[in-house]
Amino acid sequence: MHLNEFNAAGRDEADATLRPCLDIQRWVDGLADARPYPSLDSLLDAGRLTANPFTPAEIDAALAHHPRIGERAQGNSTEAKLSQAEQAGLGEADAAVARALADGNRAYEEKFGQVFLIRAAGRSREEILAALNTRLTHTPEEEQEIIGQQLREIAVLRLEGLIEQ
């Protein structure tokens, strides 16, 4: 969709365009309500700033839509296709890295009670594993801040892929 189409779209269509990027209603409302955007950069900047910080409930809701790193998102929704493309860029992992990611995912979920979330685009499996191991040393409060940042990065990358200047 072109930016001018997004700016002119009805509210339902704008919401439907934004929701696969980040399914947090306050974020969707903030971006849709601030239209029209003079440039793609202004839309992306708004995507970074809107709903910052996220509440714990918003983070929980957003995480419910994200598969574990190394696992394929199910379904044919726009959100699932975006997630599949992001993780496809990781390439094939060797068995040791795949095992370490699976073990790390389990340890993270046991410690924090939620899925490990990281922007996969532009990172190797080894980089993700290193970040996972570092984040396992964090407190829950530190993780909430990092997860919010990761959600924003994912949302902006998805938004950039869906909206053209």
Side-chain angles (χ1 to χ4, degrees), residues 122-143:
R123 291 187 167 119
S124 69
R125 288 181 187 271
E126 291 77 13
E127 289 171 311
I128 290 171
L129 179 57
L132 173 56
N133 288 328
T134 297
R135 288 175 54 188
L136 279 167
T137 68
H138 292 164
T139 66
E141 294 77 21
E142 290 170 320
E143 270 306 289

Side-chain angles (χ1 to χ4, degrees), residues 6-114:
F6 175 71
N7 283 334
R11 182 54 186 257
D12 289 345
E13 185 179 1
D15 285 4
T17 300
L18 294 168
R19 193 162 313 285
C21 299
L22 180 62
D23 193 6
I24 293 178
Q25 192 61 47
R26 187 165 56 103
W27 187 83
V28 170
D29 289 343
L31 290 180
D33 291 345
R35 293 176 302 152
Y37 293 95
S39 67
L40 180 58
D41 285 340
S42 65
L43 172 60
L44 298 177
D45 287 343
R48 287 181 194 94
L49 297 173
T50 302
N52 183 17
F54 296 122
T55 67
E58 289 170 333
I59 288 174
D60 288 346
L63 289 178
H65 298 279
H66 285 273
R68 290 178 184 93
I69 288 293
E71 293 183 5
R72 184 176 170 88
Q74 300 301 309
N76 290 318
S77 68
T78 301
E79 185 175 10
K81 289 177 183 176
L82 290 168
S83 179
Q84 291 162 5
E86 292 157 2
Q87 290 213 34
L90 295 175
E92 291 299 317
D94 66 32
V97 172
R99 239 183 346 271
L101 279 172
D103 292 345
N105 278 329
R106 277 191 296 280
Y108 186 93
E109 290 174 21
E110 287 172 14
K111 180 173 182 176
F112 296 109
Q114 58 196 20

